[in-house]
Amino acid sequence: MDGEKKMKRLSLFSIVSLFIIFFVMLISISLIGSGTVVTSYEGFALDSNENLYLGEYGKINVYKEGSLLYSVDAHTSRAYAFTIQNDEILISTAETVYITDLSGNVINSYKDTDTSLFNELKSNKDSFSLNGSTYKMQKNFGRSRIVKDDGKVIYQMPLLDYIVKIGILISMLWLAVLAIYLVISFRKKAEHNKSQPANKKSRLK
């Protein structure tokens, strides 16, 4: 009887846990899919006026002192890499390189042979130098922020984005723990059921 009660409690706990995980993941995917929330970045750069260009899904957002000014098309819905050189944006989609002005108007384009430029830009996406200063993308307990070498934080992931990111990580971790726990519990249940007939036979003898 105690075993049956434990299994019932386990089943109820599992159902509630799965419902919570499903709800969290559904809300998170909806927010990410709509562009309301961004949990990772494609890199960053700054122009000569120290405006921040932050790579997000399918676009590059331009910020001035923390306020969003406008967005520039990344010319792809997949991964890309970019930088700014001489106040021109250099974007590589791993197939094509686009050179645009700071407003996103295409000046020139050419093939990214062997994805060499894409790989180079991607490897440097967390660091940018301007006027002798270095800016770096850092993570503070998983929360991305861009910090100047003098310690000034020029951008930090919005709180909602961070909450969603942590929610997804916790949900995935909890799902893995729950799966392991269920496997162990059902194995113990199976072993217990196998031992029952043996105990009954020994009593009959």
Side-chain angles (χ1 to χ4, degrees), residues 12 33 58 92 105 150 202:
L12 180 60
S92 175
N105 301 306
D150 62 1
S202 62

Side-chain angles (χ1 to χ4, degrees), residues 69-80:
L69 297 178
Y70 58 90
S71 297
V72 172
D73 185 14
H75 300 283
T76 182
S77 58
R78 297 180 296 176
Y80 65 93

Side-chain angles (χ1 to χ4, degrees), residues 1-9 189 192:
M1 291 297 291
D2 290 339
E4 290 180 3
K5 286 181 179 179
K6 285 182 179 179
M7 288 304 296
K8 285 181 179 179
R9 286 198 295 267
K189 171 72 173 175
H192 177 73

